[in-house]
Amino acid sequence: MENLNDQENKEELEELFKILSNPNRLKIIHILAENDNKEVTVNEISDKIKLTQPATSQHLKILKKSKIVECNKKGNNIYYKINLDTITRRKECIDSLFHKLLNTH
C-alpha cells in the first residue's frame, strides 16, 4: 500500500477527487465501467449522458490528461476506455487514506 505521507500521492488524490467532483465526468466513468472495459466512442458517450459532443470531448480530454481513460483512434472515430493501471494505482491511494482514517479511532 502506498504511503500517504508522500507528497506525490497526496497530489494525485487531490487531482482525482477534483476530477470526480464533476457530475458529467463521473457519468462518463460510469458509462465506461458499465461497458466491461470495451471501447466507447465520444458520440456514444454524449448520447448516453445527454451532453453535446464538444462538451463530452472536453471532459474526456481532462480524463485522458489525468490518465484515467485512454483512447484509440480508428478511422474517423476515437474510442475511449478506462485505464486500469491508473485506476488500480489511485484505488491503492484511496484505500491507504481510508485505512489511515479508520484506524485512528
Side-chain angles (χ1 to χ4, degrees):
M1 210 174 294
E2 297 187 39
N3 184 356
L4 273 180
N5 292 326
D6 180 34
Q7 186 63 30
E8 187 176 309
N9 289 337
K10 288 179 183 179
E11 289 170 5
E12 193 169 340
L13 273 176
E14 184 179 325
E15 176 191 15
L16 177 64
F17 289 136
K18 202 180 302 183
I19 290 167
L20 296 180
S21 70
N22 181 285
N24 289 316
R25 288 193 286 271
L26 200 51
K27 288 176 189 176
I28 290 170
I29 291 170
H30 278 284
I31 289 167
L32 295 174
E34 290 169 352
N35 280 291
D36 298 322
N37 211 35
K38 294 177 187 161
E39 297 176 323
V40 183
T41 67
V42 175
N43 290 332
E44 291 171 319
I45 295 168
S46 63
D47 287 346
K48 288 183 180 183
I49 63 173
K50 309 283 190 261
L51 204 58
T52 65
Q53 186 273 329
T56 302
S57 291
Q58 286 300 310
H59 288 296
L60 285 163
K61 181 179 176 182
I62 292 166
L63 292 168
K64 182 182 170 196
K65 183 180 178 197
S66 68
K67 298 179 182 170
I68 292 173
V69 302
E70 52 191 4
C71 65
N72 184 16
K73 185 170 181 158
K74 295 178 188 174
N76 292 331
N77 290 316
I78 300 176
Y79 293 83
Y80 290 87
K81 69 178 188 173
I82 298 289
N83 182 334
L84 296 177
D85 291 336
T86 299
I87 295 299
T88 300
R89 188 175 67 254
R90 296 211 172 152
K91 180 190 177 300
E92 289 171 356
C93 290
I94 292 168
D95 287 348
S96 179
L97 171 65
F98 280 94
H99 178 76
K100 186 174 182 178
L101 290 170
L102 295 172
N103 288 322
T104 60
H105 293 96

